[in-house]
Amino acid sequence: MKVLVIGDTHIPRRADWLPKQIDDFISSQKFDLVACTGDLTDKKVLDYLQSLSNKVVVVSGNMDHLPLPESQTFKVEDIKIGVIHGHQVYPRGNRKQLREIAEDLGVDLLIHGHTHSPDIYFDEILLINPGSATGVWSGGGGSLIPSFMILKIEGNKVEVELFELKDRLKITAKDKFKL
């Protein structure tokens, strides 16, 4: 299973659209599922994500005014996955609190956003943050580098690829986990 993990676009409030290299790349791929951490801020982004896969899991971010759930859980192969925006924890990106949410949801992998900085962290539970697909600022800073992730899942194994757009779009981190 191939999963696109994306979020924090803030379109059109902070960005007009995804950077062309990211849009071209993800539009050229086939995804079994798209998971979005929220802060889309416009229905046209949701429509776009729905055009990428028959299965889209999206949660509401603190800047969204769309009728979306605060969290979602689902299973891919043998891995139970949860998605939240991340505004539920303070300070932003606090791994201890994110792990507690993952435990409460009963998931092996928690996808979260809100910080606008990508992160891959494993300590019994895999916590991943795709960063901001547009690279826009956040209230807590952020990397300001457009980014997203692709997961390749088979059974209880997951490969995480972090893509960042600096001078060009490329994989900047890649790791494999058994959950």
Side-chain angles (χ1 to χ4, degrees):
M1 292 271 295
K2 186 175 177 182
V3 180
L4 171 65
V5 180
I6 193 166
D8 287 300
T9 60
H10 291 272
I11 295 169
R13 293 185 182 137
R14 297 182 192 169
D16 292 331
W17 193 246
L18 297 173
K20 183 172 177 13
Q21 288 183 54
I22 289 178
D23 186 13
D24 289 349
F25 178 79
I26 64 176
S27 295
S28 73
Q29 303 292 302
K30 299 245 188 259
F31 297 104
D32 298 300
L33 187 141
V34 174
C36 179
T37 62
D39 273 357
L40 312 168
T41 72
D42 195 285
K43 186 174 181 321
K44 71 180 178 181
V45 180
L46 180 58
D47 294 340
Y48 172 76
L49 295 177
Q50 291 171 332
S51 77
L52 299 173
S53 177
N54 292 328
K55 183 155 171 73
V56 178
V57 177
V58 184
V59 295
S60 180
N62 60 302
M63 301 295 288
D64 282 320
H65 300 288
L66 301 168
L68 300 167
E70 186 165 311
S71 68
Q72 290 206 55
T73 60
F74 56 97
K75 196 162 186 171
V76 174
E77 300 274 336
D78 298 334
I79 300 173
K80 189 160 183 202
I81 300 172
V83 183
I84 63 169
H85 178 59
H87 63 287
Q88 299 88 339
V89 303
Y90 182 84
R92 290 172 188 246
N94 182 285
R95 290 175 174 161
K96 181 178 183 288
Q97 292 175 49
L98 289 166
R99 183 184 166 133
E100 289 170 1
I101 290 171
E103 289 171 348
D104 289 345
L105 293 173
V107 298
D108 307 302
L109 188 165
L110 181 67
I111 298 169
H112 62 96
H114 191 55
T115 65
H116 296 214
S117 294
D119 190 42
I120 302 167
Y121 180 76
F122 180 72
D123 181 13
E124 295 179 29
I125 296 172
L126 182 57
L127 306 174
I128 62 170
N129 182 333
S132 167
T134 53
V136 295
W137 59 273
S138 80
S143 72
L144 303 180
I145 298 167
S147 61
F148 63 92
M149 292 178 174
I150 292 179
L151 308 181
K152 295 173 184 167
I153 300 173
E154 187 175 328
N156 66 346
K157 297 179 186 119
V158 59
E159 178 180 85
V160 181
E161 295 176 328
L162 168 63
F163 289 78
E164 291 183 292
L165 178 59
K166 295 179 182 176
D167 53 332
R168 63 183 176 85
L169 185 63
K170 61 184 174 185
I171 297 171
T172 57
K174 185 175 185 176
D175 213 337
K176 293 180 182 180
F177 302 91
K178 186 175 180 183
L179 306 179

